Amino acid sequence: MARPSRPLLIALLLSLAMLAAAGLYWRAQRGKLPEGLVQANGRIEGDHVLVSGKFAGKLARVLVREGDSVSAGQVLAELDDNQIRAKVAQAEASVAALQAQLKVAEQQVPLAVASARAARERAAAASAQAARDAERFDALLERGSVDRRRSEQMRLAATAAATQLTQAEQQVREAELGPDRVAALRAQLGQAEAALAEARAVHNDLTLRAPSPGVVVSKLKQAGETVAAGAPVFDLVDLDRLYLKAYIPENLIGKVRLGQPARLYVDAFPDAAFAAQVATIASRAEFTPKEVQTADERVKLVYAVRLNLSDNRERKLSPGLPADAVIRWDSAVDWQKPRW
């Protein structure tokens, strides 16, 4: 068999090279979005919330499992509360007793003051009358109209009346201290109510609740285990604050600005575009992560960009989903899906 001539072989090789170059060009153009759009990919992530208790204790009940969706305020677990319930009951009894004492004191003090003052007025009148009688009998004794024994009796009666007046004045002073005792009881009641509120707050803190809606990513403790104060028990992800951490090639990062609109695409919903917005742009470049695909394999340095999802009320997206993103930096360009 005759071998092809050298010029023919060179022409054949050139034709093959041109076809290969055309194919590469066509694939590059096919995977390239028009000027004004930047595409990237990454995984959807969320803000993690660690749920922990303020106080140490034994987990009496765990009410959720990993993967469960929870709403804000939902009870996740309860710590053993036997001791704190006893303290709450003791504080409630103290408050009730002081309330009863205060009620009685508030009713009795005005009456006691009024009664003591009336008794003092009567004692003052009796003492004044007895003093006048004693002086009159002293004068009669000097004129010899009465005997000395009768005059001395009147003088003793005046002294006794004066003593009773002194006692009545002391009772008035004691009765007038009643408002101070009422104030003291009110202060004691305030302290008891504060102690009750603190005990109830501690009791309430033994119930672990979800601070925001989300998904239970990790259950770090089991029922029956003893947990330390502040030790995390659950790891939640807030489904209302999902974002895509995407990577932009170094030669395109200059087009991306904070606040620019973006659209996210996931394989589970191929016909849906999820609105997002550029929230953060890394200040330093990093080498392309291994799990991230890029349109140009020659690009080694990329910038991490966070795209906040605008709305996930339908709960279509969840952390861990791979997603493609298109960022529009020129509003005059129509949106297009990513091209890989």
Side-chain angles (χ1 to χ4, degrees):
M1 181 176 178
R3 295 170 56 181
S5 64
R6 184 177 182 88
L8 181 61
L9 181 60
I10 294 175
L12 180 61
L13 292 175
L14 288 174
S15 298
L16 291 175
M18 291 177 64
L19 287 173
L24 291 173
Y25 176 80
W26 179 82
R27 284 196 298 271
Q29 293 302 313
R30 183 174 177 270
K32 183 178 180 182
L33 288 175
E35 189 75 7
L37 301 177
V38 176
Q39 67 184 42
N41 73 345
R43 288 190 178 273
I44 293 177
E45 301 180 12
D47 291 332
H48 288 256
V49 178
L50 294 177
V51 180
S52 59
K54 292 183 179 179
F55 303 97
K58 184 175 71 174
L59 275 176
R61 294 198 304 162
V62 176
L63 305 176
V64 295
R65 296 175 296 181
E66 292 181 355
D68 286 353
S69 295
V70 298
S71 56
Q74 181 176 334
V75 176
L76 306 179
E78 295 175 346
L79 294 173
D80 182 82
D81 63 350
N82 289 330
Q83 293 183 346
I84 192 61
R85 278 194 291 111
K87 291 183 179 180
V88 169
Q90 182 180 6
E92 289 175 341
S94 297
V95 168
L98 286 169
Q99 286 175 337
Q101 295 177 28
L102 179 59
K103 183 177 180 180
V104 171
E106 289 175 339
Q107 293 174 346
Q108 291 183 347
V109 164
L111 296 177
V113 172
S115 177
R117 288 174 178 174
R120 182 183 61 182
E121 292 178 359
R122 292 192 297 271
S127 179
Q129 183 61 47
R132 288 194 296 271
D133 291 343
E135 291 177 357
R136 186 170 67 254
F137 272 81
D138 287 343
L140 292 175
L141 178 61
E142 290 179 359
R143 292 197 298 269
S145 300
V146 296
D147 58 16
R148 182 173 296 278
R149 182 171 177 275
R150 181 61 174 163
S151 176
E152 290 176 352
Q153 288 176 343
M154 298 304 295
R155 179 56 60 187
L156 288 174
T159 301
T163 301
Q164 291 178 354
L165 175 58
T166 300
Q167 293 175 350
E169 290 175 343
Q170 178 62 30
Q171 290 176 354
V172 169
R173 286 192 291 271
E174 291 178 356
E176 288 177 343
L177 292 176
D180 293 337
R181 287 197 292 272
V182 170
L185 283 173
R186 286 175 179 163
Q188 293 176 20
L189 177 59
Q191 293 176 350
E193 289 175 339
L196 174 58
E198 181 180 7
R200 285 175 173 170
V202 172
H203 184 256
N204 184 65
D205 287 336
L206 295 182
T207 299
L208 305 185
R209 301 177 184 273
S212 59
V215 172
V216 180
V217 177
S218 299
K219 184 175 65 174
L220 306 175
K221 297 290 182 180
Q222 303 294 333
E225 290 188 66
T226 299
V227 298
V233 180
F234 300 98
D235 181 11
L236 307 182
V237 172
D238 188 350
L239 294 182
D240 288 328
R241 296 183 178 180
L242 297 184
Y243 60 91
L244 178 72
K245 188 175 182 181
Y247 295 88
I248 306 297
E250 184 181 24
N251 60 339
L252 295 177
I253 194 63
K255 304 291 186 180
V256 180
R257 296 287 185 273
L258 294 178
Q260 286 177 344
R263 290 185 178 182
L264 308 185
Y265 300 85
V266 295
D267 292 339
F269 305 97
D271 297 327
F274 299 90
Q277 189 177 53
V278 178
T280 63
I281 302 173
S283 59
R284 293 183 179 180
E286 58 182 284
F287 287 104
T288 306
K290 294 181 180 179
E291 70 275 10
V292 176
Q293 299 176 359
T294 60
D296 186 351
E297 294 181 353
R298 292 174 298 174
V299 176
K300 297 301 183 182
L301 288 177
V302 292
Y303 285 79
V305 175
R306 173 169 168 162
L307 306 176
N308 284 352
L309 188 68
S310 300
D311 185 6
N312 192 36
R313 284 176 294 183
E314 296 182 4
R315 298 295 188 262
K316 290 184 176 181
L317 302 182
S318 59
L321 283 177
D324 299 322
V326 174
I327 303 170
R328 186 167 70 175
W329 56 267
D330 186 351
S331 59
V333 178
D334 292 334
W335 286 104
Q336 295 189 23
K337 290 185 176 181
R339 302 175 184 176
W340 296 111

